[in-house]
Amino acid sequence: MVNLIGTYECKADAKGRLMMPVAFKKQLSGVLEDGFVLKRAVFQPCLELYPMAEWNLLMQKMNKLNRFKKKNNDFIRKFTAGVKVVEIDTAGRLLIPKDLISFAAITKDLVLSSAVNIVEIWDKDQYEKAIEGVADDFADLAEEVMGFDDDISLD
């Protein structure tokens, strides 16, 4: 499992290519050759870059869903809409397909942000708005998500 660290600013060229930050390339060095999956995020107007091994683990979970339930089929269809297999080329660039550029409203200035085992790719303005929006209630969110009772073990 990959555990990524960091938030980096970069630029996209006219063709939608971005230079992968050196720090991410180093962290992903063991999985670069396997390729990646790029998809629309579920909750935010950004893209998610999954190392192929992480994507395959997620697909194993998805494959356990009962396809004879309409909501499961609807979820799978929506979750995988616009999914693309991508690679980081020999120059260290990642090409973002046009439909995904449109979805995330990506312009020239980008932010690549680690999200545990994936990289989120944001338009810089969208990222700053999202971070500002969370700042107000982040303490409450942190307590709700991570504020375990004292008698609960994380083991």
Side-chain angles (χ1 to χ4, degrees), residues 100-124:
L100 294 179
I101 287 174
S102 295
F103 170 82
I106 288 175
T107 58
K108 186 176 183 175
D109 295 317
L110 304 176
V111 172
L112 276 62
S113 180
S114 61
V116 186
N117 60 343
I118 66 171
V119 176
E120 292 181 340
I121 301 173
W122 291 81
D123 176 78
K124 185 178 178 186

Side-chain angles (χ1 to χ4, degrees), residues 14-27:
K15 294 181 180 179
R17 294 177 300 197
L18 64 94
M19 184 67 68
M20 184 62 71
V22 173
F24 275 150
K25 279 177 45 181
K26 285 181 181 176
Q27 293 176 60

Side-chain angles (χ1 to χ4, degrees), residues 6-60:
T7 300
Y8 305 93
E9 292 185 15
C10 62
K11 298 194 181 298
D13 67 14
K15 294 181 180 179
R17 294 177 300 197
L18 64 94
M19 184 67 68
M20 184 62 71
V22 173
F24 275 150
K25 279 177 45 181
K26 285 181 181 176
Q27 293 176 60
L28 294 167
S29 64
V31 298
L32 281 175
E33 292 179 9
D34 298 334
F36 298 86
V37 171
L38 187 62
K39 69 173 290 303
R40 302 169 185 188
V42 174
F43 300 109
Q44 297 289 342
C46 69
L47 304 176
E48 297 172 338
L49 183 68
Y50 287 78
M52 192 58 73
E54 297 294 332
W55 179 256
N56 289 338
L57 288 172
L58 182 58
M59 289 300 100
Q60 286 176 9

